[in-house]
Amino acid sequence: RLNQMAAMGLIQAIPNQTEPTYRFQQALMHQVIYQGLPFARRQTIHAVLADHLRQRQTSLAASLHMSEHYRRAGQPAEALRLLLRLSEAAAKRRALPEALKLFDAARRCLPQLPEQEQEKTAVWIVRQQLPLLFALGHFFQAAALAQHGQLPEPEKNEWLATIAFTQGNDEDVRRYVADLARHGHHFVLLGQLFMRLGDRQQAKAAFEAACLGESRGDERRGLVGLARLACHANQPDQARVQMARAEAVNVPQDDGQLQGRISLETSSVYRELGLLVKAAEAAETAVLHLRPLGPYWYVLGLLEQTAVFLAQGKLDAASERLREAFALLLHVDSCEARLVAQQLSQQLQRGRR
């Protein structure tokens, strides 16, 4: 029958496929034939195709086709389970664009679910997508998702404040920081936001609160934050004391993002203190941990390492790192990171004169 349809010019064979594969010559013909089938018959065909693809699927495209067949077969829960499992697996192996496409496909299954399950699953998907968008540096998309993703107000404002911070948008930082302070959570972020706004007293209070929390990671980052405040207050001895306390705090070794952020912040403080050997070690560790997490995190590591190399007078090494950072910034939306990169570029040019 397929050969007859091909001879009539209704369908066309797709070359270089592992098994015979065809497509309609015209989309309109496809729609006429498809709509002419009884609804129950369509569902049965979609179910058969989904089961067939499930036995053979090896690619993202096949997985998306399979989930769409399950959805049209009247099995949205099966499509959703499949997509969420695949998206989580993609996220774990840091295939971030693939994970985002799978989560988007999962979102299309939601209208066919019971209303209560729709809302719960939609919020869960938003919580998975936001860190992926952030890691890719897609901050405008992340902001829109946080704003309209039905997150609880404090959680939404935390994301919006963090995104505003990466964009150097002090007005938005000021707008959200009061709400975060009122709820009394995420003290490390609060400290960084208050530092951004020049409110050292509030920043100190937030970092001190982070040191008193249950999280060892927050304790260490809080101490590093206090050290940075001491640097800004021209109190290098106090900063060294806080850094010594920070290094004594053991944090989970299996959390790459936490290790990378701590190393990034540590390098910055040691660089300000002029302890460049320690800064270089911390910057190298930051790059090692941040590179697998996504372009934005890697850019931050590269920029810090560039700053350290410049402080050491290693201009060729600095130039190499900065060139790599600029290449990534073509795809990362961070205004703040671009500004830092431009400042480092100017510093490099002055060093070469």
Side-chain angles (χ1 to χ4, degrees):
R1 184 177 297 177
L2 289 173
N3 289 334
Q4 291 175 349
M5 293 177 70
M8 294 169 63
L10 298 176
I11 60 174
Q12 177 185 17
I14 302 176
N16 303 321
Q17 302 295 309
T18 55
E19 57 186 24
T21 306
Y22 297 83
R23 63 177 167 227
F24 282 91
Q25 290 275 35
Q26 297 181 356
L28 180 60
M29 179 63 69
H30 172 225
Q31 286 300 316
V32 169
I33 294 174
Y34 182 79
Q35 296 297 334
L37 292 171
F39 182 70
R41 177 63 174 155
R42 275 186 264 163
Q43 285 192 317
T44 300
I45 293 173
H46 281 302
V48 170
L49 290 171
D51 290 339
H52 174 76
L53 286 171
R54 189 164 203 155
Q55 295 172 10
R56 297 171 174 268
Q57 64 95 11
T58 56
S59 68
L60 172 61
S63 300
L64 292 173
H65 284 311
M66 183 184 3
S67 67
E68 184 63 12
H69 283 306
Y70 273 129
R71 189 179 72 80
R72 295 194 179 201
Q75 302 178 39
E78 184 63 32
L80 186 63
R81 277 193 294 270
L82 168 71
L83 289 166
L84 294 182
R85 185 176 71 249
L86 292 171
S87 56
E88 287 185 272
K92 284 182 180 176
R93 67 175 187 273
R94 306 310 294 177
L96 307 187
E98 178 179 336
L100 285 170
K101 286 182 180 179
L102 288 163
F103 278 125
D104 283 338
R107 195 188 300 279
R108 291 196 291 273
C109 298
L110 298 182
Q112 294 175 266
L113 299 177
E115 187 173 342
Q116 185 176 1
E117 193 173 342
Q118 281 185 42
E119 184 176 343
K120 179 181 176 182
T121 308
V123 170
W124 185 87
I125 290 174
V126 168
R127 286 175 173 150
Q128 308 311 305
Q129 286 188 301
L130 279 170
L132 304 182
L133 290 168
F134 196 90
L136 286 167
H138 296 173
F139 296 115
F140 297 114
Q141 196 175 343
L145 186 61
Q147 188 73 54
H148 305 292
Q150 300 176 302
L151 294 172
E153 196 72 13
E155 186 177 356
K156 178 184 79 172
N157 288 339
E158 178 193 349
W159 274 108
L160 292 174
T162 304
I163 292 166
F165 184 84
T166 68
Q167 299 299 81
N169 188 333
D170 291 353
E171 184 178 343
D172 279 355
V173 168
R174 193 172 286 106
R175 181 190 311 169
Y176 297 118
V177 72
D179 180 76
L180 293 176
R182 186 167 61 253
H183 286 89
H185 298 296
H186 311 293
F187 291 113
V188 173
L189 173 61
L190 267 175
Q192 293 172 340
L193 295 176
F194 280 125
M195 277 187 68
R196 169 96 197 174
L197 298 175
D199 191 335
R200 293 182 180 178
Q201 184 175 353
Q202 291 273 39
K204 182 180 179 183
F207 286 135
E208 287 175 343
C211 295
L212 298 175
E214 296 181 2
S215 166
R216 304 291 279 175
D218 281 356
E219 180 184 358
R220 182 156 176 175
R221 294 182 70 198
L223 289 166
V224 173
L226 290 171
R228 176 172 287 159
L229 282 173
C231 284
H232 291 181
N234 199 25
Q235 298 173 336
D237 292 339
Q238 180 63 25
R240 290 189 185 94
V241 169
Q242 299 291 14
M243 290 303 293
R245 290 178 60 199
E247 289 189 349
V249 178
N250 294 319
V251 296
Q253 297 297 310
D254 58 349
D255 188 335
Q257 182 168 316
L258 176 61
Q259 289 286 342
R261 293 174 80 169
I262 287 174
S263 299
L264 192 68
E265 294 159 5
T266 297
S267 175
S268 177
V269 174
Y270 278 139
R271 179 165 50 81
E272 288 188 50
L273 289 171
L275 301 175
L276 298 183
V277 172
K278 286 192 170 186
E281 292 173 353
E284 186 174 355
T285 302
V287 167
L288 179 67
H289 285 293
L290 296 176
R291 182 171 189 169
L293 299 181
Y296 172 66
W297 293 114
Y298 186 36
V299 162
L300 295 186
L302 289 171
L303 293 178
E304 176 57 31
Q305 199 167 41
T306 299
V308 173
F309 283 146
L310 285 172
Q312 292 177 315
K314 298 179 179 180
L315 302 187
D316 289 341
S319 178
E320 181 182 338
R321 291 295 182 272
L322 192 55
R323 189 162 47 246
E324 190 173 358
F326 271 119
L328 289 170
L329 282 168
L330 294 174
H331 311 286
V332 171
D333 295 333
S334 175
C335 299
E336 183 73 5
R338 286 197 184 97
L339 178 61
V340 171
Q342 289 166 2
Q343 292 170 342
L344 291 172
S345 178
Q346 291 168 1
Q347 188 178 342
L348 178 63
Q349 291 171 11
R350 288 195 299 269
R352 289 198 183 282
R353 290 173 187 160

